[in-house]
Amino acid sequence: MNKAKRKAVIAGNWKMNKTPSEAKALLQEIIPVAEGAGCEVIACVPYVDLAVALETVEGTNVKIGAENCHWAESGAFTGEISTGMLKEMGVEYVVIGHSERRQYFGETDETVNKRTKAALAAGLKPIVCVGELLWERECDITEEVIARQIKLDLYDVSAEDAKKTIIAYEPVWAIGTGKTATADQAEEVCAFIRAELAKKYDEETAQAITIQYGGSMNDANAAELLSKENVDGGLIGGASLVAAKFGAIIDAATKG
Ligand code: PEP
């Protein structure tokens, strides 16, 4: 069982929710439910919440991530945040290529690849999101879409760096819609991603990489999704904003 060797990672993606004072309050509720977890627990929060979030989780097992980063070290990129800025703050993870960024902010596989490489070069751990649109699934090209994203998003990323990268399989039709992929659908695509990683790198590398499922994961469906061999954790939007629900997902991941 290779799954047992991989660390489960439960990450909340707060999106554009919570002011700094609200972030502090929510983290104060999350810390006790995450205590003693048998999985990595991460809260990916808006940039303006990072400072208070890092301060609040100090000395606990909750890690902090950002929701995006730029690829350049510095320069004329008004409104952007560099990986060096995040690293100096003490941020450990960064979400890259979330479907909302691809959909609303012109993110492409090329920019996902640039951001991923910049994050790795700075010593951040990227959570790279891939996933098909509903009509792509209906046209039966899910595997084609995912294979392309894996190839492009991880272009020129070494095997050693790939092991520091988390892949989040997030079918776009399941994000924020309340429509969850069935556990079998999630397993099928996560297993396919691992097979693509084995082709690109080697079996040992592919087996070492954490692959999460994301898309309306909640306290009711987490256990079944997380029981699957190739689903090593979750990237959670809505349910990560409610400590009790997030805690139940952490418990499900701990039980595996
Ligand atoms: C996400 O934001 O990555 C996500 C999966 O959202 P939700 O859990 O709300 O579908």
Side-chain angles (χ1 to χ4, degrees):
M1 288 286 281
N2 287 300
K3 183 181 169 92
K5 292 191 211 142
R6 291 187 289 270
K7 187 146 174 123
V9 180
I10 296 298
N13 172 25
W14 288 12
K15 314 194 189 205
M16 196 176 72
N17 292 295
K18 305 296 172 188
T19 65
S21 61
E22 291 168 346
K24 182 172 181 163
L26 177 55
L27 283 165
Q28 282 169 336
E29 287 182 60
I30 287 174
I31 289 165
V33 298
E35 205 181 328
C39 61
E40 188 98 325
V41 179
I42 310 165
C44 298
V45 307
Y47 290 136
V48 295
D49 294 345
L50 286 171
V52 74
L54 286 160
E55 194 183 297
T56 308
V57 302
E58 212 180 316
T60 76
N61 61 329
V62 179
K63 311 270 199 250
I64 298 299
E67 297 178 13
N68 192 18
C69 63
H70 198 265
W71 56 84
E73 276 177 29
S74 61
F77 299 103
T78 303
E80 291 293 317
I81 297 291
S82 75
T83 55
M85 293 170 184
L86 298 175
K87 184 71 185 168
E88 187 177 309
M89 290 186 82
V91 170
E92 285 185 51
Y93 291 87
V94 57
V95 177
I96 295 177
H98 191 278
S99 67
E100 286 150 16
R101 296 220 60 88
R102 293 180 190 254
Q103 205 176 339
Y104 306 129
F105 301 102
E107 188 83 73
T108 64
D109 288 310
E110 189 184 1
T111 55
V112 170
N113 177 247
K114 284 169 139 183
R115 292 181 211 275
T116 302
K117 287 193 287 197
L120 287 161
L124 296 167
K125 292 177 205 146
I127 300 174
V128 177
C129 303
V130 298
E132 80 287 1
L133 304 171
L134 182 58
W135 74 275
E136 289 169 331
R137 177 165 279 266
E138 285 169 353
C139 293
D140 205 17
I141 60 163
T142 298
E143 292 193 350
E144 229 172 289
V145 171
I146 301 289
R148 181 185 157 87
Q149 289 173 335
I150 293 292
K151 278 195 190 103
L152 298 178
D153 297 353
L154 297 183
Y155 169 72
D156 206 19
V157 171
S158 68
E160 198 191 326
D161 275 345
K163 288 182 192 170
K164 297 173 197 152
T165 302
I166 294 171
I167 307 292
Y169 167 54
E170 298 213 309
V172 180
W173 47 272
I175 298 176
T177 57
K179 261 193 215 170
T180 319
T182 64
D184 287 341
Q185 283 172 326
E187 168 62 14
E188 192 182 3
V189 181
C190 290
F192 175 76
I193 291 172
R194 203 173 305 285
E196 287 299 296
L197 292 168
K199 265 198 250 165
K200 180 173 168 56
Y201 299 105
D202 53 74
E203 190 60 30
E204 184 257 325
T205 303
Q207 289 299 337
I209 296 175
T210 293
I211 302 176
Q212 297 174 317
Y213 166 78
S216 301
M217 189 186 272
N218 58 40
D219 47 329
N221 58 30
E224 196 187 352
L225 287 159
L226 293 167
S227 71
K228 294 293 178 182
E229 171 66 20
N230 287 286
V231 180
D232 304 318
L235 182 57
I236 298 118
S240 73
L241 298 170
V242 182
K245 290 187 182 180
F246 196 52
I249 297 171
I250 293 167
D251 284 348
T254 300
K255 290 181 190 124

